[in-house]
Amino acid sequence: MRTPSGPPAEPPEELTAARAYEGVWRFTAPALESSVPQARHAVRDLLARQRVPAAGEVMDALLLIVSELVTNAVQHAALLSPEITVEITVGADWIRAAVEDDHPYRPKALEAGEGDIGGRGLWLVKMLTAEAGGKCDVEHTASGGKAVWAELPLAPQTGGPTSPPTAR
């Protein structure tokens, strides 16, 4: 048997080529309450235009995450950050939403008490992200502010703790 010489063969293009829906999109909005639904609708419309193949429950979770992250930026960073940036990044099998502001404070997820009206935003983001099999974090930006992000798989996770057992 003869072995070929030379460099290894390249993987087929369909395995390495970017999909049409992959990319990075950024938009800014004023740090006002009216920006919350506007950001959510802008993200929903963008993903529909790009034909991102996100499962319905992933899309619902992502839009709620965007709403929570923008709400947090508006409520807690507006004094030092009159404008926020929303960034959506879509890979082959994942999607990431990030909200940046110029406030240096790094938020922490808190479980609010039963009587508390607010205070569950970042905790909810972490729970939604974990349930979807994703990850989230807070990073400092070069300008001294922060970006809070959540990354979700496009397809829901199977076989996790909330999935029903499979019949044998």
Side-chain angles (χ1 to χ4, degrees):
M1 188 186 290
R2 185 179 143 141
T3 58
S5 60
E10 292 291 321
E13 186 177 338
E14 60 269 11
L15 296 178
T16 60
R19 290 159 177 85
Y21 59 81
E22 290 182 69
V24 178
W25 297 269
R26 291 174 64 91
F27 61 90
T28 59
L32 302 171
E33 284 187 30
S34 60
S35 293
V36 176
Q38 290 172 353
R40 183 178 57 250
H41 293 133
V43 169
R44 183 196 60 213
D45 294 347
L46 167 72
L47 299 177
R49 245 187 350 266
Q50 293 304 121
R51 296 184 177 162
V52 175
E57 58 264 37
V58 171
M59 184 67 76
D60 291 344
L62 181 77
L63 294 175
L64 183 52
I65 287 168
V66 167
S67 293
E68 290 297 333
L69 294 180
V70 173
T71 297
N72 286 351
V74 166
Q75 290 180 347
H76 303 293
L79 186 61
L80 294 178
S81 186
E83 191 172 79
I84 59 171
T85 301
V86 177
E87 181 177 277
I88 302 297
T89 307
V90 182
D93 58 0
W94 53 270
I95 186 165
R96 176 177 161 147
V99 175
E100 297 177 22
D101 62 57
D102 291 329
H103 197 293
Y105 174 72
R106 186 180 174 105
K108 300 209 180 334
L110 304 172
E111 286 192 53
E114 284 185 37
D116 294 339
I117 294 173
R120 295 177 180 89
L122 192 53
W123 178 82
L124 180 60
V125 167
K126 288 185 173 274
M127 295 307 298
L128 288 167
T129 303
E131 285 178 11
K135 53 189 173 183
C136 60
D137 203 358
V138 180
E139 298 174 353
H140 290 286
T141 62
S143 65
K146 67 183 162 304
V148 184
W149 59 267
E151 185 177 295
L152 307 175
L154 290 177
Q157 298 294 301
T158 57
T162 59
S163 297
T166 55
R168 293 187 184 228

